Amino acid sequence: MTRSPSSNAELALLLEVAATPTPGNVDRCTDHPTLRFEHFLAGAVGARPGLERAERTGVIGAAFRDAIAGMADQRGGNTQFGALLLVIPLLVAAKRAAMHTTGLTAITQSTTVTDAIAFYRAFEYVDVLVGDPPRDAPDLDVRRGEQAAPALRSTGTTLADVMAMAASHDDVAREWTSGFERSFHAADLIDRATGSALERGAYAHLRLLSDRPDTLIATKYGEDVAISVQQRAQSTVQTNGDPQQLAEWLVEQEYNPGATADILVAGYLIALERGLQV
Amino acid sequence: MTRSPSSNAELALLLEVAATPTPGNVDRCTDHPTLRFEHFLAGAVGARPGLERAERTGVIGAAFRDAIAGMADQRGGNTQFGALLLVIPLLVAAKRAAMHTTGLTAITQSTTVTDAIAFYRAFEYVDVLVGDPPRDAPDLDVRRGEQAAPALRSTGTTLADVMAMAASHDDVAREWTSGFERSFHAADLIDRATGSALERGAYAHLRLLSDRPDTLIATKYGEDVAISVQQRAQSTVQTNGDPQQLAEWLVEQEYNPGATADILVAGYLIALERGLQV
């Protein structure tokens, strides 16, 4: 029996949190004070009905909202919001045998105002750290939740438009506007690595962290901090250093590269669909 | 959004393998040489369609066979066969708001010859360590898989009958004949313990291990070995000793108390249905 795209999506969420070390993030060997491993397990299981809805219907917004509502049924708070925003279009693409840049662009570009409204509603289930909205569009602040619906309708803003507004400062949104470029890169890193499925993810996480400043860290602590984290990761890669040391420093500073984790989940899903064995 | 019984069943499988230390078994901090943590993650995800079938139809045998077929889609081999044999009737009971001894007895006693045949077919997906069949019923050896179907039909053997034949030497089968007595006990241990959902499972595992000789160890290494493991666990409980030391000894000896793990999964499912927070 082969795993369905929604099963692979859920497994991708679980593999990401189990891979270790993924410096700065919760993993098989690391808990944060109020965000623990089991919250991610429950988050992945809870998201499942939303994932299945995406597979069954191909509708992005409502499936995402369901996935977030289910994910939020644990006490850790936001575990996999960004990851699910990548995983849902990816699994729809997998279902349609269209898991490539063109296929994904078609899927994201076909999202509607209704998808955007469902996306905004998802913010009512869980606190998500996001940047400020564009200055000329304060009515479209995602933190307004469903109250933003009239503004979305009157401006004809689709979910793809919402992502385009955030792409400059949010690497999850950027995937939506770039044909999931870094998600495919993450899958390549997983494919290229050696060892078990979890060891491959740890390798990919470190490489992704050294590639670009993590945008969740940038939103929380500023661009300079995000760049300093990237530089430490680069130095770990270049000197073949111990990622555990990097992990300890990140945990001490409470810097968690959450956007990088989201990209890694997307990479795992693509790799599983390509045949990664667990 | 509340988790459905099938979601709780899958989460129970994940919590059991994540709880640590669960001496002798794969857990968040322990892999065996060819059976690793990620095999259990993939096993739980793969079982999901079978769990959903059980929830939707209430049919035990076919749902179990589907769950095993999906579980087996990873490279570790048998991860959760026994656990699924407990979880499927339990989640059907949860769905019917009948998760008590009487309800479970009604569900298991209503299984049919068709359920038994599906159960035997499940052995074709994965190698399972089992004891020998009763001497007077060699045709009913589960290792015969679907070939045993004519013998099951001609003798009118239901799945409940199959479990009754194994109950004396297999603690998973014994749950089927005892109204899931130890599964409820495991849930009580989880409820009574303190700490996170994972810490509660580790406590319950040690107590269960000290209660009775593990029947998987007895099948593999003999009753004497199973008793010696139980005695070491008792001594750890009585002296408030370090379960980590017990874990190291068990791993060294390659004794894995798999039946105890199965009961713990069942206990987690009952506890989640009763409202255990994660």
Side-chain angles (χ1 to χ4, degrees):
Chain A
M1 195 184 263
T2 313
R3 276 188 300 269
S4 63
S6 58
S7 284
N8 274 334
E10 191 195 353
L11 184 54
L13 293 166
L14 293 170
L15 292 176
E16 188 283 322
V17 73
T20 186
T22 52
N25 290 331
V26 170
D27 67 21
R28 185 170 171 187
C29 302
T30 314
D31 284 328
H32 291 170
T34 59
L35 185 60
R36 294 191 310 271
F37 190 68
E38 63 268 30
H39 298 141
F40 286 81
L41 301 181
V45 170
R48 175 80 180 222
L51 301 174
E52 290 178 353
R53 181 168 184 174
E55 183 176 315
R56 202 171 55 243
T57 65
V59 171
I60 306 281
F64 178 75
R65 186 203 57 219
D66 283 2
I68 297 303
M71 176 210 82
D73 187 20
Q74 38 75 26
R75 297 191 288 186
N78 178 17
T79 47
Q80 291 127 328
F81 191 97
L84 288 164
L85 194 48
L86 298 179
V87 145
I88 291 207
L90 281 169
L91 83 88
V92 170
K95 176 76 177 177
R96 298 181 186 167
M99 206 190 249
H100 41 64
T101 305
T102 321
L104 281 154
T105 303
I107 287 166
T108 54
Q109 286 306 315
S110 70
T111 56
T112 63
V113 175
T114 306
D115 288 309
I117 293 170
F119 171 74
Y120 275 62
R121 278 197 61 201
F123 283 85
E124 299 185 352
Y125 294 102
V126 66
D127 280 328
V128 183
L129 186 74
V130 291
D132 292 323
R135 278 193 206 147
D136 56 352
D139 289 353
L140 298 182
D141 189 338
V142 286
R143 290 165 292 200
R144 299 185 66 218
E146 193 161 15
Q147 297 192 311
L152 290 165
R153 277 197 203 93
S154 69
T155 52
T157 304
T158 69
L159 185 49
D161 296 333
V162 174
M163 293 296 131
M165 283 188 278
S168 67
H169 59 272
D170 181 333
D171 270 3
V172 170
R174 188 167 168 266
E175 289 301 280
W176 273 61
T177 62
S178 71
F180 290 71
E181 184 190 332
R182 273 189 103 208
S183 301
F184 283 105
H185 176 56
D188 292 343
L189 290 168
I190 290 167
D191 286 346
R192 193 192 307 160
T194 54
S196 71
L198 296 185
E199 288 164 337
R200 288 162 183 263
Y203 168 85
H205 174 87
L206 183 62
R207 297 304 296 253
L208 291 168
L209 203 54
S210 73
D211 277 353
R212 279 175 62 85
D214 185 275
T215 52
L216 180 70
I217 294 180
T219 300
K220 210 163 171 178
Y221 298 100
E223 184 73 12
D224 288 353
V225 170
I227 291 172
S228 77
V229 168
Q230 179 196 8
Q231 287 168 341
R232 288 236 188 184
Q234 282 172 344
S235 149
T236 305
V237 169
Q238 283 156 10
T239 62
N240 208 7
D242 184 1
Q244 209 55 58
Q245 283 187 359
L246 177 64
E248 280 161 26
W249 177 72
L250 285 163
V251 167
E252 210 169 273
Q253 304 291 324
E254 299 185 14
Y255 297 157
N256 69 306
T260 306
D262 298 336
I263 303 284
L264 182 57
V265 172
Y268 261 129
L269 173 52
I270 296 168
L272 288 167
E273 286 289 331
R274 284 180 186 168
L276 173 70
Q277 297 284 311
V278 176
Chain B
M1 194 185 261
T2 312
R3 277 187 301 270
S4 63
S6 57
S7 284
N8 274 335
E10 191 194 355
L11 184 55
L13 293 165
L14 293 170
L15 291 175
E16 188 283 321
V17 73
T20 188
T22 52
N25 291 331
V26 170
D27 68 22
R28 186 171 172 186
C29 302
T30 314
D31 285 327
H32 291 169
T34 59
L35 185 60
R36 294 191 310 270
F37 190 67
E38 63 268 31
H39 299 140
F40 286 80
L41 301 181
V45 171
R48 175 81 180 219
L51 301 175
E52 290 177 354
R53 180 169 184 173
E55 184 176 314
R56 201 171 56 243
T57 66
V59 171
I60 306 281
F64 178 75
R65 186 202 56 219
D66 283 2
I68 297 304
M71 175 210 81
D73 187 21
Q74 38 76 24
R75 296 191 290 188
N78 178 17
T79 47
Q80 291 127 328
F81 191 97
L84 288 164
L85 194 49
L86 298 179
V87 145
I88 291 209
L90 281 169
L91 83 86
V92 170
K95 175 78 176 174
R96 298 182 186 166
M99 206 189 250
H100 42 64
T101 304
T102 321
L104 280 155
T105 303
I107 287 166
T108 55
Q109 286 305 315
S110 71
T111 57
T112 63
V113 174
T114 307
D115 288 311
I117 293 170
F119 171 74
Y120 274 62
R121 279 197 60 202
F123 284 85
E124 299 186 350
Y125 293 101
V126 66
D127 281 328
V128 183
L129 186 74
V130 290
D132 292 324
R135 277 191 206 149
D136 56 352
D139 289 353
L140 298 182
D141 189 340
V142 287
R143 290 164 293 199
R144 299 184 68 217
E146 193 161 15
Q147 297 192 311
L152 291 165
R153 275 196 207 94
S154 68
T155 52
T157 305
T158 68
L159 185 48
D161 296 333
V162 174
M163 293 297 132
M165 282 188 278
S168 67
H169 59 271
D170 181 332
D171 270 2
V172 170
R174 188 167 166 269
E175 289 301 279
W176 273 60
T177 62
S178 71
F180 289 71
E181 183 190 332
R182 274 189 102 208
S183 301
F184 284 105
H185 177 56
D188 291 342
L189 290 168
I190 290 166
D191 287 345
R192 193 191 309 159
T194 55
S196 71
L198 296 185
E199 289 164 335
R200 288 162 183 264
Y203 168 84
H205 174 86
L206 183 63
R207 298 303 296 252
L208 291 169
L209 203 54
S210 72
D211 276 353
R212 278 175 63 86
D214 185 275
T215 52
L216 180 71
I217 293 179
T219 300
K220 210 164 173 179
Y221 298 100
E223 183 72 14
D224 288 355
V225 170
I227 290 170
S228 77
V229 169
Q230 179 195 8
Q231 287 169 341
R232 288 234 189 186
Q234 281 172 344
S235 149
T236 304
V237 169
Q238 283 156 9
T239 63
N240 208 7
D242 184 1
Q244 209 56 58
Q245 284 188 358
L246 177 65
E248 281 160 25
W249 176 72
L250 285 162
V251 167
E252 209 170 274
Q253 305 291 325
E254 299 185 14
Y255 297 156
N256 69 305
T260 306
D262 298 337
I263 303 284
L264 182 57
V265 173
Y268 262 129
L269 172 52
I270 295 168
L272 287 167
E273 285 290 331
R274 283 181 188 167
L276 173 70
Q277 297 284 311
V278 175

